[in-house]
Amino acid sequence: ALAVQLGIGDRVRLVGEVSHRAMRPLYARAKAFVHTAREEAFGLVLLEAMSCGKAVIATRVGGIPDFVRDGETGLLVEPDDPEALAESLIRLEKDEALRASLGARGREIATREHTWDHYTEDTLGAYRAALAGEPGAPDCAADAPAPETAATADVSVVIPTRNRADLLERLLRSVAASRVAPGITWELVVCDNGSTDATRQVGSEMAAAMPVR
């Protein structure tokens, strides 16, 4: 194994599959929790660790920075940067006060803003706002031309996204290449949650070739 080759075999434990119930004791034993994903839509496992009061180190990808706020609820590093990761680990190991502060603040955020009740109410609120046409309702590719099928589509697929133009383009091209049963009209509704990348441009360009709005 790589750990043995690196001379750290006695410090690495590969525990295999762990049940959800058995995770809490493992979190409790840890000084910190590290999640080094290259891609991550959200990062639920980070919230699990934070809810246990653990300081977390994570990569600045996907939706992770929405709740792992660097220096406040955890530490963020760029993906594929082992030096920065090592520095953050050493920093947490040496600074007990920082570990405690990040752990306490992270637990507060996880248990206050990221519960199922909170998500349910947020989702219902978004639907209510969209139905009422209120300001601040989800922006469903407003710049893209509305397809002719928008009012009469048999099937509407809603795609929520934020700063993932690359994945959105791959998804839309895959759908465009697939076959739909004859006589079935359909549309894709891309809901852009404040993207700052090329998401809106991708949606607008693809809308010229397929029913996207």
Side-chain angles (χ1 to χ4, degrees), residues 49-71:
M50 291 166 65
S51 70
C52 292
K54 297 302 168 181
V56 301
I57 301 174
T59 40
R60 191 180 278 101
V61 296
I64 290 176
D66 289 343
F67 58 92
V68 179
R69 301 158 193 166
D70 192 35

Side-chain angles (χ1 to χ4, degrees), residues 70-172:
D70 192 35
E72 179 187 354
T73 62
L75 299 179
L76 290 173
V77 299
E78 297 301 324
D80 296 313
D81 190 343
E83 290 80 12
L85 176 60
E87 289 175 4
S88 294
L89 282 166
I90 293 171
R91 182 182 175 191
L92 285 187
E93 171 62 26
K94 292 182 175 180
D95 195 335
E96 183 177 351
L98 178 61
R99 288 202 312 271
S101 173
L102 295 178
R105 181 61 174 152
R107 176 177 171 77
E108 178 185 347
I109 295 297
T111 57
R112 186 185 68 198
E113 299 180 7
H114 296 279
T115 65
W116 287 117
D117 287 343
H118 184 85
Y119 289 151
T120 299
E121 188 55 38
D122 272 2
T123 302
L124 289 174
Y127 281 130
R128 295 188 191 106
L131 290 173
E134 297 175 1
D139 180 4
C140 296
D143 290 345
E148 295 180 359
T149 57
T152 59
D154 297 312
V155 178
S156 293
V157 178
V158 178
I159 306 172
T161 186
R162 180 176 183 272
N163 286 341
R164 296 314 306 265
D166 54 339
L167 293 183
L168 177 63
E169 183 173 5
R170 285 162 53 191
L171 171 62
L172 295 180

